[in-house]
Amino acid sequence: MSTAKRIAVIPGDGIGKEVIPQAVHVLKATGADLQFTHFDWGADRYLADETTVPPDGFAMLARDFNAILVGAFGDPRVPSNIHAKEILLGMRFKMDLYANVRPVRLMDAALCPLKGVEPKDVDFVVIRENTEGVYGDVGGVFKQGTADEVAIQEDINTRKGVERILRYAFQYCRSNKKLDHSPRRRVLMCDKSNAMTHAGGLWQRVFQEISVDYPQVEMQHMYVDALCMQMVRDPRSFDVIVTNNMFGDIITDLAAGLQGGLGMAASGSLHPGKTCMFEPVHGSAPPIAGKNIANPFGAILTAAMMLAYLGITDQAEKIEAAVLEAVRQKKATADIGGSLGTREAGDWVANFVSAS
Ligand code: NAD
Ligand code: IPM
Ligand code: MN
């Protein structure tokens, strides 16, 4: 029986269709024993035959694959964004991938818009709850189209959901080191419990309760507004941040700004023991799509995260080292100061990986 890891590849829309092929190219250059199967789920398929996810699609992914590598979903021809909701949020919710892990690392001081900030100063991770919150699509509209219209969007926070994401953060802190090999020490819970008291109260209580199981981990708390200010003033203090679905979405775009922009940010949507999904933080970026200018490094670093998760750590490290070298030598796209196209930057990294 083959021992190859089976990877489902879903590039999606816009720049997803440009950066994911580069990520696959680099994965192939590692020589790791991987078997790729491509899926055309996205706006084109939806516009052609109204399929978002084929029947049994999620069960098939969970059954037949070791991991899923995803690009981005969003296309101006589908203003309802229904396909993105059904495919992307569908995978996160229906496959119960509850922990969206978004590492924030600065590879080169030149990429950070803040003065005097070095790579060693930006090495934290955001653990975003990925299956609840305001993303659950619970709510409705009443008296639509009238002056009395009411729109309700509920914020779902379950004891089980809050506890498992907070435990994930504590465990992540305990078992992951920083890039300089020093231990991680602190879990910061970010919420808005001063205004959203019902949900915030649950998060606060569970945070206190489960912290007794992790006495070696320092607990911190910040309201999300203050955290945004601190991220821009001085990101050095952050280590592991855990937060709900919506705050996690917002603060990881802000954090991507520290890394050199959305083109540099990687993520994984995880549930230990299940088939997990790996997705760059950025979207489909319609205005730059099809021009060979999108930065493929976020997708390539996402592929490295996937390899590490699958236990192929030596090859994952090779990819990260190659991207770091490309960034330093500006063998990169224009958004991070290079002059290469998407394909050429991907080729450079793939060649570096093959030669290393
Ligand atoms: P976006 O991430 O697509 O783009 C935001 C900005 O970052 C734009 O200026 C874009 O040019 C730039 N950017 C993003 N990725 C880049 C890259 N790899 N290289 C260089 N520049 C890059 O966010 P948006 O504009 O808010 O959304 C566009 C579409 O993508 C929408 O339909 C949105 O819903 C969707 N979206 C999808 C995902 C996903 O599928 N994971 C994530 C975010 C947004
Ligand atoms: C992300 C994206 C998605 C989210 C959108 C496309 C629904 O912004 O992955 O960060 O909000 O989770
Ligand atoms: Mn987002």
Side-chain angles (χ1 to χ4, degrees):
M1 220 173 90
S2 163
T3 53
K5 299 288 185 194
R6 288 155 299 151
I7 312 297
V9 181
I10 315 178
D13 305 331
I15 63 168
K17 289 195 279 198
E18 299 174 84
V19 298
I20 291 300
Q22 295 313 314
V24 171
H25 181 34
V26 171
L27 285 169
K28 286 182 176 164
T30 65
D33 193 6
L34 305 171
Q35 206 177 76
F36 298 97
T37 306
H38 287 76
F39 293 90
D40 64 355
W41 305 357
D44 287 338
R45 173 78 185 272
Y46 174 69
L47 290 166
D49 68 7
E50 288 185 14
T51 302
T52 56
V53 179
D56 198 40
F58 298 126
M60 177 272 299
L61 289 174
R63 188 183 58 231
D64 297 344
F65 292 94
N66 297 104
I68 311 162
L69 181 63
V70 161
F73 302 90
D75 186 302
R77 296 170 300 165
V78 187
S80 66
N81 223 22
I82 177 74
H83 69 299
K85 183 176 153 201
E86 292 190 2
I87 302 168
L88 183 75
L89 299 183
M91 281 188 280
R92 292 180 187 168
F93 280 66
K94 295 195 173 148
M95 299 177 78
D96 202 27
L97 303 175
Y98 68 90
N100 187 205
V101 176
R102 297 188 155 181
V104 183
R105 289 172 186 161
L106 175 62
M107 288 200 152
D108 192 289
L111 266 51
C112 187
L114 305 183
K115 288 192 294 285
V117 170
E118 303 286 329
K120 66 173 172 33
D121 299 327
V122 181
D123 180 4
F124 63 91
V125 62
V126 178
I127 312 276
R128 166 189 180 190
E129 203 296 317
N130 215 27
T131 53
E132 302 193 342
V134 292
Y135 279 68
D137 205 23
V138 176
V141 288
F142 181 50
K143 299 187 182 176
Q144 191 171 1
T146 74
D148 297 324
E149 182 162 350
V150 179
I152 296 174
Q153 196 85 44
E154 297 287 3
D155 182 10
I156 308 298
N157 297 265
T158 67
R159 163 83 207 198
K160 173 185 160 190
V162 172
E163 177 166 345
R164 69 182 179 175
I165 196 66
L166 292 175
R167 281 199 188 279
Y168 193 96
F170 276 109
Q171 270 154 13
Y172 186 98
C173 185
R174 222 163 48 174
S175 51
N176 286 273
K177 293 200 176 346
K178 294 194 162 209
L179 281 182
D180 67 4
H181 303 294
S182 64
R184 295 205 176 271
R185 298 180 195 285
R186 294 185 301 276
V187 171
L188 186 161
M189 186 179 80
C190 161
D191 65 20
K192 189 66 191 169
S193 52
N194 49 353
M196 300 162 79
T197 53
H198 308 303
L202 176 64
W203 282 74
Q204 290 282 347
R205 275 182 279 115
V206 178
F207 191 45
Q208 295 298 332
E209 275 171 37
I210 69 166
S211 68
V212 298
D213 295 338
Y214 308 92
Q216 63 282 64
V217 176
E218 193 186 318
M219 295 164 70
Q220 293 180 308
H221 171 260
M222 281 179 115
Y223 299 122
V224 64
D225 47 354
L227 178 134
C228 288
M229 189 276 296
Q230 182 66 12
M231 211 177 263
V232 173
R233 292 279 294 178
D234 184 7
R236 291 176 184 86
S237 62
F238 296 119
D239 193 346
V240 177
I241 298 173
V242 60
T243 192
N244 72 18
N245 208 339
M246 185 175 68
F247 298 151
D249 178 45
I250 297 167
I251 67 172
T252 52
D253 267 31
L254 181 61
L258 301 173
Q259 293 169 272
L262 279 161
M264 294 301 294
S267 94
S269 287
L270 314 177
H271 183 142
K274 290 190 192 281
T275 298
C276 295
M277 192 237 304
F278 295 83
E279 37 169 333
V281 175
H282 66 73
S284 55
I288 65 165
K291 298 179 176 163
N292 195 39
I293 57 177
N295 184 347
F297 292 171
I300 292 170
L301 292 167
T302 297
M305 222 179 142
M306 180 182 80
L307 282 192
Y309 198 81
L310 292 172
I312 311 174
T313 43
D314 47 347
Q315 302 305 330
E317 282 166 16
K318 261 191 206 171
I319 296 178
E320 286 180 3
V323 172
L324 182 61
E325 199 51 38
V327 167
R328 284 189 181 142
Q329 293 192 32
K330 296 203 185 308
K331 302 293 184 191
T333 46
D335 54 305
I336 56 164
S339 57
L340 299 185
T342 309
R343 284 187 296 274
E344 292 70 25
D347 278 344
W348 197 92
V349 173
N351 288 336
F352 194 94
V353 165
S354 306
S356 58

